[in-house]
Structure formats: C-alpha cells, structure tokens
Coordinates of all heavy atoms in Angstrom, one line a residue:
M1 N 120.1 -31.2 40.2 CA 119.6 -30.0 39.5 C 118.1 -30.0 39.2 O 117.5 -31.0 38.8 CB 120.3 -29.8 38.1 CG 121.8 -29.5 38.3 SD 122.0 -27.9 39.0 CE 121.7 -26.8 37.7
D2 N 117.4 -29.0 39.5 CA 116.0 -28.9 39.2 C 115.8 -28.5 37.7 O 116.3 -27.3 37.3 CB 115.3 -27.9 40.1 CG 113.9 -27.9 40.0 OD1 113.3 -28.8 39.1 OD2 113.1 -27.2 40.7
A3 N 115.1 -29.3 37.0 CA 114.9 -28.9 35.5 C 114.1 -27.7 35.4 O 114.3 -26.9 34.5 CB 114.2 -30.1 34.8
A4 N 113.2 -27.4 36.3 CA 112.4 -26.2 36.2 C 113.1 -25.0 36.4 O 112.8 -23.9 36.1 CB 111.2 -26.3 37.1
S5 N 114.3 -25.1 37.1 CA 115.1 -23.8 37.4 C 115.9 -23.4 36.2 O 116.5 -22.3 36.2 CB 115.9 -24.0 38.6 OG 116.9 -25.0 38.3
S6 N 116.1 -24.3 35.3 CA 117.0 -24.0 34.2 C 116.1 -23.6 33.0 O 115.9 -24.4 32.0 CB 117.9 -25.2 33.8 OG 117.0 -26.3 33.4
R7 N 115.6 -22.4 33.1 CA 114.7 -21.9 32.0 C 115.4 -21.0 31.0 O 115.0 -19.8 31.0 CB 113.5 -21.2 32.7 CG 112.7 -22.1 33.6 CD 111.6 -21.3 34.4 NE 110.8 -20.6 33.4 CZ 109.8 -19.7 33.8 NH1 109.7 -19.4 35.1 NH2 109.0 -19.1 32.9
T8 N 116.3 -21.5 30.4 CA 117.0 -20.8 29.3 C 116.1 -20.5 28.2 O 115.5 -21.4 27.8 CB 118.3 -21.4 28.9 OG1 118.0 -22.7 28.5 CG2 119.3 -21.5 30.1
P9 N 116.1 -19.3 27.7 CA 115.3 -19.0 26.5 C 115.7 -19.8 25.3 O 116.8 -20.1 25.1 CB 115.6 -17.5 26.3 CG 116.2 -17.0 27.5 CD 116.9 -18.2 28.1
G10 N 114.8 -20.2 24.5 CA 115.0 -20.9 23.3 C 115.7 -20.1 22.3 O 115.8 -18.9 22.5
A11 N 116.3 -20.7 21.3 CA 117.0 -20.0 20.3 C 116.2 -19.0 19.6 O 116.7 -18.0 19.1 CB 117.7 -21.0 19.3
R12 N 114.9 -19.3 19.4 CA 114.1 -18.4 18.6 C 113.4 -17.4 19.5 O 112.7 -16.5 19.0 CB 113.0 -19.3 18.0 CG 113.5 -20.1 16.9 CD 112.5 -20.8 16.1 NE 113.0 -21.7 15.0 CZ 112.1 -22.3 14.1 NH1 110.9 -22.1 14.2 NH2 112.7 -23.0 13.2
Q13 N 113.5 -17.4 20.8 CA 112.9 -16.4 21.6 C 113.7 -15.1 21.6 O 114.9 -15.1 21.5 CB 112.9 -16.9 23.1 CG 111.7 -18.0 23.2 CD 111.6 -18.2 24.7 OE1 112.5 -18.3 25.5 NE2 110.3 -18.3 25.1
R14 N 112.9 -14.1 21.6 CA 113.5 -12.7 21.6 C 112.9 -11.9 22.7 O 111.7 -12.2 23.1 CB 113.2 -12.0 20.3 CG 113.8 -12.7 19.1 CD 115.3 -12.4 18.9 NE 115.8 -13.0 17.7 CZ 117.1 -12.9 17.3 NH1 117.9 -12.1 18.0 NH2 117.4 -13.4 16.2
A15 N 113.6 -10.9 23.3 CA 113.1 -10.1 24.3 C 112.4 -9.0 23.6 O 112.9 -8.3 22.6 CB 114.2 -9.6 25.1
C16 N 111.1 -8.7 24.0 CA 110.3 -7.6 23.5 C 111.0 -6.3 24.0 O 111.2 -6.1 25.2 CB 108.9 -7.7 23.9 SG 107.9 -6.3 23.4
T17 N 111.2 -5.4 23.0 CA 111.9 -4.1 23.4 C 110.9 -3.2 24.2 O 111.3 -2.2 24.8 CB 112.4 -3.4 22.1 OG1 113.2 -2.3 22.5 CG2 111.2 -2.9 21.3
R18 N 109.6 -3.5 24.1 CA 108.7 -2.6 24.8 C 108.3 -3.2 26.2 O 108.3 -2.3 27.2 CB 107.3 -2.6 23.9 CG 106.3 -1.6 24.4 CD 105.3 -1.4 23.4 NE 104.3 -0.4 23.9 CZ 103.2 -0.8 24.5 NH1 102.8 -1.9 24.7 NH2 102.3 0.2 24.8
C19 N 108.0 -4.4 26.4 CA 107.6 -4.9 27.7 C 108.7 -5.8 28.3 O 108.5 -6.3 29.4 CB 106.3 -5.7 27.5 SG 106.4 -7.2 26.7
D20 N 109.8 -6.0 27.5 CA 110.9 -6.8 28.1 C 110.5 -8.2 28.3 O 111.3 -9.0 28.9 CB 111.4 -6.2 29.3 CG 112.3 -5.0 29.1 OD1 112.7 -4.8 28.0 OD2 112.4 -4.1 30.0
G21 N 109.4 -8.6 27.8 CA 109.0 -10.0 28.0 C 109.6 -10.9 26.8 O 109.8 -10.4 25.7
L22 N 109.8 -12.1 27.1 CA 110.3 -13.0 26.1 C 109.2 -13.5 25.3 O 108.1 -13.9 25.8 CB 111.1 -14.2 26.7 CG 112.5 -13.9 27.3 CD1 113.1 -15.1 28.0 CD2 113.4 -13.4 26.2
T23 N 109.4 -13.6 24.0 CA 108.3 -14.1 23.2 C 109.0 -15.1 22.1 O 110.1 -14.9 21.7 CB 107.6 -13.0 22.3 OG1 106.7 -13.6 21.4 CG2 108.6 -12.1 21.6
D24 N 108.3 -16.1 21.8 CA 108.8 -17.1 20.8 C 108.2 -16.8 19.4 O 108.4 -17.4 18.4 CB 108.4 -18.5 21.2 CG 107.0 -18.7 21.4 OD1 106.2 -17.8 21.2 OD2 106.6 -19.9 21.8
R25 N 107.4 -15.6 19.4 CA 106.9 -15.1 18.1 C 107.3 -13.7 17.9 O 106.4 -12.8 17.9 CB 105.4 -15.3 18.1 CG 104.9 -16.7 18.2 CD 103.4 -16.8 18.1 NE 103.0 -16.4 16.8 CZ 102.9 -17.3 15.7 NH1 103.2 -18.6 15.9 NH2 102.5 -16.9 14.6
P26 N 108.6 -13.4 17.9 CA 109.0 -12.0 17.7 C 108.6 -11.4 16.4 O 108.6 -12.0 15.4 CB 110.6 -12.1 17.8 CG 110.9 -13.4 17.4 CD 109.7 -14.3 17.7
V27 N 108.3 -10.1 16.5 CA 107.9 -9.3 15.3 C 109.0 -8.2 15.1 O 109.3 -7.5 16.0 CB 106.5 -8.6 15.5 CG1 106.3 -7.8 14.2 CG2 105.5 -9.7 15.7
L28 N 109.6 -8.2 14.0 CA 110.6 -7.2 13.7 C 110.0 -5.8 13.6 O 109.1 -5.6 12.7 CB 111.3 -7.6 12.4 CG 112.5 -6.6 12.0 CD1 113.6 -6.7 13.1 CD2 113.0 -7.0 10.7
V29 N 110.4 -4.9 14.5 CA 109.8 -3.6 14.5 C 110.8 -2.5 14.0 O 110.4 -1.4 13.7 CB 109.2 -3.2 15.8 CG1 108.0 -4.1 16.1 CG2 110.2 -3.3 16.9
S30 N 112.1 -2.8 14.1 CA 113.1 -1.9 13.7 C 114.3 -2.6 13.3 O 114.7 -3.6 13.9 CB 113.3 -0.9 14.8 OG 114.2 0.2 14.4
D31 N 115.1 -2.0 12.4 CA 116.3 -2.5 12.0 C 117.4 -1.5 12.1 O 117.3 -0.4 11.5 CB 116.3 -3.0 10.5 CG 117.1 -4.2 10.3 OD1 117.7 -4.7 11.2 OD2 117.1 -4.7 9.1
V32 N 118.3 -1.6 13.0 CA 119.3 -0.6 13.3 C 120.6 -0.9 12.6 O 121.1 -2.0 12.7 CB 119.6 -0.5 14.9 CG1 120.6 0.6 15.2 CG2 118.2 -0.3 15.6
H33 N 121.0 0.1 11.8 CA 122.2 -0.1 11.1 C 123.3 0.8 11.7 O 123.1 1.9 12.0 CB 122.0 0.2 9.6 CG 121.1 -0.7 8.9 ND1 121.4 -1.9 8.5 CD2 119.7 -0.5 8.6 CE1 120.3 -2.4 8.0 NE2 119.3 -1.6 8.0
Q34 N 124.4 0.2 11.9 CA 125.5 1.0 12.4 C 126.7 1.0 11.5 O 127.0 0.0 10.8 CB 126.0 0.4 13.8 CG 124.8 0.3 14.8 CD 125.3 -0.4 16.1 OE1 125.4 0.2 17.1 NE2 125.7 -1.6 16.0
N35 N 127.5 2.1 11.6 CA 128.7 2.2 10.7 C 129.7 1.3 11.3 O 130.5 0.7 10.5 CB 129.2 3.6 10.7 CG 128.3 4.6 9.9 OD1 127.6 4.1 9.0 ND2 128.2 5.8 10.3
S36 N 129.8 1.2 12.6 CA 130.8 0.3 13.2 C 130.1 -0.9 13.8 O 129.5 -0.8 14.9 CB 131.6 1.1 14.2 OG 130.7 1.5 15.2
G37 N 130.2 -2.0 13.1 CA 129.4 -3.2 13.6 C 128.4 -3.7 12.8 O 128.0 -3.0 11.7
P38 N 127.9 -4.8 13.1 CA 126.9 -5.5 12.2 C 125.4 -4.9 12.4 O 124.6 -5.1 11.6 CB 126.9 -6.9 12.7 CG 127.3 -6.8 14.1 CD 128.2 -5.6 14.2
G39 N 125.2 -4.0 13.4 CA 123.9 -3.5 13.6 C 123.1 -4.6 14.2 O 123.5 -5.7 14.5
F40 N 121.8 -4.3 14.5 CA 121.0 -5.3 15.2 C 119.5 -5.0 14.9 O 119.1 -4.0 14.3 CB 121.2 -5.3 16.7 CG 121.0 -3.9 17.3 CD1 119.7 -3.6 17.8 CD2 121.9 -3.0 17.3 CE1 119.5 -2.4 18.4 CE2 121.8 -1.7 17.9 CZ 120.5 -1.4 18.4
S41 N 118.7 -6.0 15.2 CA 117.3 -5.9 14.9 C 116.6 -5.7 16.2 O 117.0 -6.3 17.2 CB 116.8 -7.1 14.1 OG 117.4 -7.2 12.9
V42 N 115.5 -5.0 16.2 CA 114.7 -4.8 17.3 C 113.4 -5.6 17.2 O 112.7 -5.4 16.2 CB 114.4 -3.3 17.6 CG1 113.6 -3.1 18.8 CG2 115.8 -2.6 17.8
Y43 N 113.1 -6.4 18.2 CA 111.9 -7.2 18.1 C 110.8 -6.8 19.2 O 111.2 -6.3 20.3 CB 112.2 -8.6 18.3 CG 113.0 -9.2 17.2 CD1 114.4 -9.1 17.2 CD2 112.3 -9.8 16.0 CE1 115.1 -9.7 16.1 CE2 113.1 -10.3 15.0 CZ 114.5 -10.2 15.0 OH 115.2 -10.7 13.9
A44 N 109.6 -7.1 18.9 CA 108.6 -6.9 19.9 C 107.7 -8.1 19.9 O 107.6 -8.9 19.0 CB 107.7 -5.6 19.6
C45 N 107.0 -8.3 21.0 CA 106.1 -9.4 21.1 C 104.8 -9.1 20.2 O 104.6 -7.9 19.9 CB 105.7 -9.8 22.5 SG 104.8 -8.5 23.3
P46 N 104.0 -10.0 19.8 CA 102.9 -9.8 19.0 C 101.9 -8.8 19.6 O 101.2 -8.0 18.9 CB 102.2 -11.1 18.8 CG 103.3 -12.1 18.9 CD 104.3 -11.5 20.0
D47 N 101.8 -8.7 20.9 CA 101.0 -7.8 21.6 C 101.4 -6.4 21.5 O 100.6 -5.4 21.5 CB 100.8 -8.2 23.0 CG 100.0 -9.4 23.3 OD1 99.3 -9.8 22.3 OD2 100.2 -10.1 24.3
C48 N 102.8 -6.2 21.4 CA 103.3 -4.9 21.5 C 103.5 -4.3 20.0 O 103.6 -3.1 19.9 CB 104.6 -4.8 22.3 SG 104.3 -5.1 24.0
A49 N 103.7 -5.3 19.1 CA 104.1 -4.9 17.8 C 103.1 -3.8 17.2 O 103.7 -2.8 16.6 CB 104.1 -6.1 16.9
P50 N 101.8 -3.8 17.4 CA 101.0 -2.8 16.8 C 101.2 -1.4 17.4 O 100.8 -0.5 16.8 CB 99.6 -3.3 17.2 CG 99.7 -4.8 17.4 CD 101.0 -4.9 18.0
H51 N 101.9 -1.4 18.5 CA 102.2 0.0 19.1 C 103.4 0.6 18.5 O 103.6 1.8 18.7 CB 102.4 -0.2 20.6 CG 101.2 -0.7 21.4 ND1 100.2 0.2 21.8 CD2 100.8 -2.0 21.7 CE1 99.2 -0.6 22.4 NE2 99.6 -1.8 22.3
F52 N 104.1 -0.1 17.6 CA 105.2 0.5 17.0 C 104.7 1.1 15.6 O 103.9 0.5 15.0 CB 106.3 -0.5 16.7 CG 107.0 -0.8 18.0 CD1 106.6 -1.9 18.8 CD2 108.1 -0.1 18.5 CE1 107.2 -2.2 20.0 CE2 108.7 -0.4 19.6 CZ 108.3 -1.5 20.4
P53 N 105.4 2.2 15.2 CA 105.0 2.8 13.9 C 105.6 1.9 12.8 O 106.5 1.1 13.0 CB 105.8 4.1 14.0 CG 106.9 4.0 14.9 CD 106.3 3.0 16.0
V54 N 105.0 2.0 11.7 CA 105.4 1.2 10.5 C 106.8 1.6 10.1 O 107.1 2.8 10.2 CB 104.4 1.4 9.3 CG1 104.9 0.6 8.1 CG2 103.0 1.0 9.7
L55 N 107.6 0.7 9.8 CA 108.9 1.0 9.4 C 108.9 2.0 8.2 O 108.3 1.7 7.2 CB 109.7 -0.3 9.0 CG 110.0 -1.2 10.2 CD1 110.7 -2.5 9.7 CD2 110.9 -0.5 11.2
P56 N 109.6 3.1 8.3 CA 109.7 4.0 7.2 C 110.5 3.4 6.0 O 111.5 2.7 6.2 CB 110.4 5.2 7.8 CG 111.2 4.7 8.8 CD 110.5 3.5 9.4
D57 N 110.0 3.8 4.8 CA 110.7 3.3 3.7 C 112.0 4.2 3.5 O 111.9 5.4 3.6 CB 109.8 3.6 2.4 CG 110.4 2.9 1.2 OD1 111.7 2.7 1.2 OD2 109.7 2.7 0.2
V58 N 113.1 3.5 3.3 CA 114.4 4.2 3.2 C 114.3 5.3 2.1 O 114.8 6.5 2.3 CB 115.6 3.3 3.0 CG1 116.8 4.1 2.8 CG2 115.7 2.3 4.2
A59 N 113.7 5.0 1.0 CA 113.6 5.9 -0.1 C 112.9 7.2 0.3 O 113.2 8.3 -0.2 CB 113.0 5.3 -1.3
A60 N 111.9 7.1 1.2 CA 111.1 8.2 1.6 C 111.9 9.2 2.5 O 111.5 10.3 2.6 CB 109.9 7.8 2.3
L61 N 113.0 8.7 3.0 CA 113.8 9.5 3.9 C 114.9 10.3 3.1 O 115.5 11.2 3.6 CB 114.6 8.6 4.9 CG 113.6 7.8 5.8 CD1 114.4 7.0 6.8 CD2 112.7 8.7 6.6
L62 N 115.1 10.0 1.9 CA 116.0 10.7 1.1 C 115.5 12.0 0.8 O 114.3 12.2 0.5 CB 116.4 9.9 -0.2 CG 117.1 8.6 0.0 CD1 117.3 7.8 -1.2 CD2 118.4 8.7 0.8
P63 N 116.4 13.1 0.7 CA 116.0 14.4 0.3 C 115.4 14.4 -1.1 O 116.0 13.9 -2.0 CB 117.3 15.2 0.4 CG 118.2 14.4 1.2 CD 117.8 13.0 1.0
G64 N 114.3 15.1 -1.2 CA 113.6 15.2 -2.5 C 112.9 14.0 -2.9 O 112.2 14.0 -4.0
A65 N 112.9 12.9 -2.1 CA 112.2 11.8 -2.5 C 110.6 12.0 -2.5 O 110.1 12.7 -1.6 CB 112.4 10.6 -1.5
G66 N 110.0 11.6 -3.5 CA 108.5 11.8 -3.6 C 108.2 13.2 -4.1 O 107.0 13.5 -4.4
E67 N 109.1 14.1 -4.2 CA 108.9 15.4 -4.7 C 109.3 15.6 -6.2 O 109.8 14.6 -6.7 CB 109.6 16.5 -3.9 CG 109.3 16.4 -2.4 CD 110.1 17.4 -1.6 OE1 110.9 18.1 -2.2 OE2 109.9 17.5 -0.4
R68 N 109.0 16.6 -6.7 CA 109.4 16.9 -8.1 C 111.0 16.8 -8.3 O 111.7 17.3 -7.5 CB 108.9 18.2 -8.6 CG 109.6 19.4 -8.0 CD 108.9 20.7 -8.4 NE 109.6 21.8 -7.9 CZ 109.5 22.3 -6.6 NH1 108.8 21.6 -5.8 NH2 110.2 23.3 -6.3
R69 N 111.4 16.2 -9.3 CA 112.8 16.1 -9.6 C 113.3 17.4 -10.1 O 112.8 17.9 -11.1 CB 113.1 15.0 -10.5 CG 112.7 13.6 -9.9 CD 112.8 12.5 -10.9 NE 112.4 11.2 -10.3 CZ 113.3 10.3 -9.7 NH1 114.6 10.6 -9.7 NH2 112.9 9.3 -9.2
A70 N 114.3 17.9 -9.5 CA 114.9 19.3 -9.9 C 115.5 19.1 -11.3 O 115.6 20.1 -12.0 CB 115.8 19.8 -8.9
R71 N 116.1 18.0 -11.6 CA 116.8 17.9 -12.8 C 116.3 16.8 -13.7 O 116.7 15.7 -13.6 CB 118.3 17.7 -12.5 CG 119.0 18.8 -11.8 CD 120.4 18.7 -11.6 NE 120.9 19.7 -10.7 CZ 122.2 19.8 -10.3 NH1 123.0 18.9 -10.6 NH2 122.5 20.7 -9.5
Ligands
ZN101 ZN1 105.9 -6.8 24.4

C-alpha cells in the first residue's frame, strides 16, 4: 500500500460548504436545526467564512422582537 494514497481526512477536518475544500480550521457559519433528527452544522474554510452573513440572532427572528411590546 502506498501511504500517500490513503489521504483520509483527519477527524477535525471539515468540508467547506462554499468551495468544497477540506480545511482543518473550519469556521461555523450556520447551524441547521431539524424537527426530525439531530440537525447539523455548516462549516466553511477561513477564506470563505467572511463571505457568509453573520448568523442571525434567534431572538431577532421572533415576531415583534425589537419592536414595542403590545402588552
Ligand atoms: Zn472554502
């Protein structure tokens, strides 16, 4: 066996969701929650991470959040 041919990704490596490249310094850019299943995290490499929008605050997505309280 050729050692160079067995290039299995390390445990800490993640595939960048933008460029599909493997990175050993993944940056969490999105957290997907699913009703059925554990959900998953989306990672990008450090070069692509700045191209993703900042994760929205969950509280900001709620109706009426940041606005005057009706009651
Ligand atoms: Zn990338």
Side-chain angles (χ1 to χ4, degrees):
M1 292 294 286
D2 186 1
S5 65
S6 61
R7 297 172 58 188
T8 53
R12 291 188 178 184
Q13 284 192 316
R14 298 284 183 173
C16 173
T17 190
R18 185 167 182 266
C19 69
D20 285 337
L22 286 176
T23 175
D24 56 3
R25 299 182 66 85
V27 179
L28 182 65
V29 294
S30 184
D31 214 358
V32 180
H33 297 284
Q34 301 178 114
N35 290 331
S36 60
F40 57 94
S41 298
V42 178
Y43 292 91
C45 67
D47 288 340
C48 293
H51 294 275
F52 287 89
V54 178
L55 290 177
D57 189 341
V58 174
L61 300 178
L62 296 176
E67 299 177 3
R68 67 187 186 284
R69 295 173 183 266
R71 299 181 187 176

